[in-house]
Amino acid sequence: MHFFSISAGAEEASSGPFICASDPGVIICQVAVPSITVTDAKLNRGACASPLETFSIYKNELKSMGREIGDFKDFRGTYKLGDKFALYVTRCSPYELAISADGQAYFIKLK
């Protein structure tokens, strides 16, 4: 399975510039506007570990085991229409995702 694919059972949700699908351990979002800069994300209004914290933990674990990081990367950055990025989830059942981008917060209800 390619890193940025979503399983057939994944639930899709959208808000403004993002279409996101949730799978266990990861949320994949696709950009639906010409350009946007993502600066932060929160799960369940901060009740879950932030995707940035989770990314840092996983990244350090992969490095310590001498594993290749590959497609595993920080979600913050500037994206174009059709680009995808991953938000990593740990010990949490996310029902809401808030993405900060271009000075605004976008709330996405996850199923």
Side-chain angles (χ1 to χ4, degrees):
M1 179 154 93
H2 186 270
F3 178 79
F4 282 126
S5 64
I6 294 294
S7 71
E11 296 285 341
E12 279 196 5
S14 66
S15 175
F18 304 104
I19 301 165
C20 299
S22 177
D23 255 350
V26 68
I27 298 168
I28 306 293
C29 294
Q30 184 168 9
V31 175
V33 294
S35 178
I36 196 159
T37 300
V38 175
T39 55
D40 197 11
K42 284 185 174 40
L43 294 168
N44 299 359
R45 300 186 185 253
C48 297
S50 81
L52 193 54
E53 282 177 65
T54 303
F55 166 76
S56 296
I57 291 166
Y58 285 170
K59 181 180 78 173
N60 290 335
E61 284 179 7
L62 285 172
K63 277 185 177 177
S64 71
M65 294 186 304
R67 299 220 63 193
E68 184 58 44
I69 293 173
D71 283 333
F72 185 79
K73 61 184 181 182
D74 190 337
F75 64 87
R76 295 173 300 176
T78 300
Y79 298 95
K80 301 183 309 283
L81 180 67
D83 286 349
K84 293 180 183 178
F85 58 93
L87 301 161
Y88 302 98
V89 180
T90 186
R91 295 181 305 278
C92 178
S93 296
Y95 58 84
E96 183 183 77
L97 168 64
I99 299 176
S100 299
D102 291 346
Q104 293 187 27
Y106 298 93
F107 294 91
I108 301 163
K109 293 284 185 200
L110 302 170
K111 297 176 181 156

